[in-house]
Amino acid sequence: MLTTLPDKTLALVDRQMLPRYWATVWTIFHAGGLAPSTHKRKLSDIEALYEHAEQTNVCLDDLIARLDLDAIGHVLEAFFISLKNLPVPSSQALRRWNMAFHFVRDVCERIARSPHTARRMVEVREKIATLDRLYMGLRPQRRRIASKVRALPKDVVRELLDVATPGSASNPFESVSTQWRMYCLLILLLFQGLRRAEALVLRVDSIETQRDQETGASRWLLRIHLNEATSDPRAQVPSIKTADSVRVLPVTTTTANVIQIYVENFRGKPNHSYLMSSARQQPLSIEGVNKAFRRLSEALSKEARHSLKIATGTDFVTPHALRHTCAVLRMKQMLGQGQSPEQAMSHLRSFFGWAKTSLMPMHYAKAALDERLNETWNDALDERLEFLRGLP
């Protein structure tokens, strides 16, 4: 079972409350860069494999310690079948299978590198490769056909920016400070492609200017990293997703100016270091963001919400839909500049904080090449705020 140790670290224990050995090893060597929520989810998936093995009176830790890959293969196969036969298959089944398989492979490979198993290294690696071929590509449920990237239509983005602009007659927020807070957040999500949690952990000094040594020109940078604040009063604490999410992004002068105006004139002087601050001078919460986006969505015209419904399946704009939109536009821009799909996907991984092996950019490459999206978004991303708001 999953438990929290006295030092607040997460761990798996058996029914006698003893640590599950190889799950602990995996945590030490593979979970260091994970957000607590991601770590917890992955440990829950690993625990499901342990529990399934115990139901057949098998000790998974013993099998791994002996590198009995034949027996481990049988456990994995039975676990796969149990997931496949769930009454209501879900995406959790696929996630759980992938995590369980990679856990077993990772710890077996680590044992194989030990001097004590040097004589068996070739044999072990061959068997691990066999496990790869047999099980890595399996899916406990049929993959959805025509998975759709839910980027926002151009008319919706244009109207959303008009509605969110401070001072707009259609802006749903009465307070000017709230208008600037939400406008700043919208710009960060749409033009920088931030995750909601990433925007909420930004420090007030996360944006900085540097001088290019070659040209002498100034450029703006946004640092995405953990906020080292001693405490966070929010009930649901946002966090950086993985180590790959820590990055530095280029920022246009327009975006930098929006952030500076908000900080210097409308953020107030709260007793915390987070960039986004609520009307009560507390760090802006995830729930606060969700409620604000619902109000922005309700302020859209019927035509825009209808267009939104057709494109995304919902008539509410979500923070993550802005990230989708940014990713599609950046992919389309890079492909239009002559970059190969492989180069563009590599740049996208860096910009959006995905792991080097992430397949996420492939979805956006497909969407960027989709003829319908090309008709909807046929403008360069770099024009940013003024250009998007002035689209015909």
Side-chain angles (χ1 to χ4, degrees):
M1 69 183 72
L2 184 63
T3 188
T4 303
L5 300 178
D7 62 356
K8 297 185 179 180
T9 58
L10 294 169
L12 293 184
V13 296
D14 59 20
R15 293 169 186 171
Q16 284 74 45
M17 299 303 292
L18 297 175
R20 297 198 185 278
Y21 183 80
W22 291 112
T24 304
V25 171
W26 178 88
T27 291
I28 293 171
F29 288 101
H30 297 277
L34 298 178
S37 59
T38 304
H39 185 199
K40 182 177 181 179
R41 186 180 70 243
K42 289 181 180 293
L43 284 179
S44 296
D45 295 336
I46 295 172
E47 174 66 9
L49 178 63
Y50 271 98
E51 291 180 347
H52 179 80
E54 289 174 349
Q55 289 173 6
T56 57
N57 297 318
V58 171
C59 178
L60 184 61
D61 276 341
D62 286 348
L63 296 184
I64 294 174
R66 297 199 306 267
L67 285 178
D68 190 345
L69 296 183
D70 291 331
I72 291 172
H74 292 313
V75 171
L76 286 172
E77 184 174 354
F79 184 60
F80 174 84
I81 293 173
S82 72
L83 292 175
K84 189 175 180 62
N85 291 330
L86 286 175
V88 184
S90 69
S91 59
Q92 290 182 349
L94 175 58
R95 185 202 74 206
R96 181 151 289 184
W97 164 250
N98 285 336
M99 187 61 241
F101 176 80
H102 283 92
F103 159 69
V104 169
R105 191 183 65 177
D106 290 344
V107 294
C108 285
E109 287 184 339
R110 184 160 295 280
I111 297 174
R113 292 197 294 267
S114 168
H116 300 291
T117 59
R119 296 178 182 178
R120 296 187 59 201
M121 184 175 292
V122 174
E123 173 195 354
V124 169
R125 288 195 178 280
E126 286 179 353
K127 289 189 175 183
I128 291 175
T130 301
L131 287 179
D132 269 349
R133 292 191 294 270
L134 288 176
Y135 301 116
M136 190 173 182
L138 294 181
R139 293 180 177 274
Q141 62 177 32
R142 183 174 296 178
R143 193 174 186 179
R144 290 183 181 178
I145 299 175
S147 178
K148 188 175 183 180
V149 173
R150 301 186 183 279
L152 300 178
K154 180 172 63 175
D155 60 328
V156 173
V157 175
R158 184 175 62 242
E159 188 170 322
L160 181 65
L161 285 167
D162 285 337
V163 166
T165 298
S168 168
S170 54
N171 195 304
F173 306 110
E174 295 182 5
S175 167
V176 177
S177 296
T178 302
Q179 291 181 7
W180 273 99
R181 179 188 314 118
M182 294 314 303
Y183 189 56
C184 179
L185 180 61
L186 178 65
I187 296 303
L188 287 169
L189 298 177
L190 179 60
F191 295 142
Q192 300 305 132
L194 300 190
R195 299 177 177 95
R196 177 184 57 187
E198 290 173 348
L200 295 181
V201 299
L202 285 177
R203 290 176 53 90
V204 69
D205 58 357
S206 291
I207 192 165
E208 59 187 54
T209 183
Q210 289 186 356
R211 185 172 296 278
D212 192 305
Q213 295 182 353
E214 295 182 1
T215 65
S218 296
R219 59 175 182 169
W220 293 93
L221 299 174
L222 182 68
R223 296 189 178 275
I224 315 297
H225 55 82
L226 288 172
N227 192 321
E228 301 298 335
T230 56
S231 63
D232 192 324
R234 290 172 283 200
Q236 188 176 354
V237 179
S239 63
I240 298 293
K241 190 173 184 181
T242 66
D244 296 291
S245 302
V246 177
R247 58 201 190 277
V248 180
L249 303 180
V251 176
T252 64
T253 301
T254 300
T255 299
N257 286 342
V258 169
I259 297 174
Q260 283 190 312
I261 292 172
Y262 163 68
V263 170
E264 294 175 3
N265 300 282
F266 301 102
R267 179 176 174 269
K269 296 181 179 180
N271 189 27
H272 62 78
S273 61
Y274 295 98
L275 172 65
M276 306 309 303
S277 188
S278 71
R280 297 181 179 180
Q281 297 291 277
Q282 294 294 316
L284 186 61
S285 67
I286 291 175
E287 183 59 27
V289 173
N290 293 341
K291 289 180 179 179
F293 267 85
R294 290 189 71 86
R295 290 192 64 182
L296 285 172
S297 301
E298 291 168 351
L300 296 175
S301 66
K302 291 182 179 180
E303 293 76 15
R305 295 187 73 177
H306 177 68
S307 178
L308 181 63
K309 182 77 171 180
I310 294 174
T312 67
T314 176
D315 55 358
F316 286 95
V317 176
T318 65
H320 211 68
L322 302 181
R323 179 173 163 88
H324 285 316
T325 305
C326 182
V328 171
L329 290 178
R330 285 199 170 271
M331 174 61 78
K332 186 175 185 301
Q333 178 197 37
M334 288 184 287
L335 294 176
Q337 292 172 344
Q339 293 189 27
S340 68
E342 291 74 20
Q343 289 174 321
M345 286 191 287
S346 177
H347 290 158
L348 227 64
R349 290 187 182 97
S350 177
F351 190 89
F352 287 91
W354 292 315
K356 294 180 180 180
T357 57
S358 173
L359 299 179
M360 284 299 296
M362 295 180 63
H363 299 289
Y364 297 108
K366 180 179 182 301
L369 294 170
D370 189 295
E371 193 168 326
R372 290 168 299 174
L373 277 176
N374 285 341
E375 293 174 355
T376 302
W377 286 100
N378 56 359
D379 308 295
L381 179 65
D382 279 344
E383 305 302 327
R384 298 298 179 98
L385 185 60
E386 293 90 345
F387 186 80
L388 285 174
R389 293 188 61 214
L391 289 176

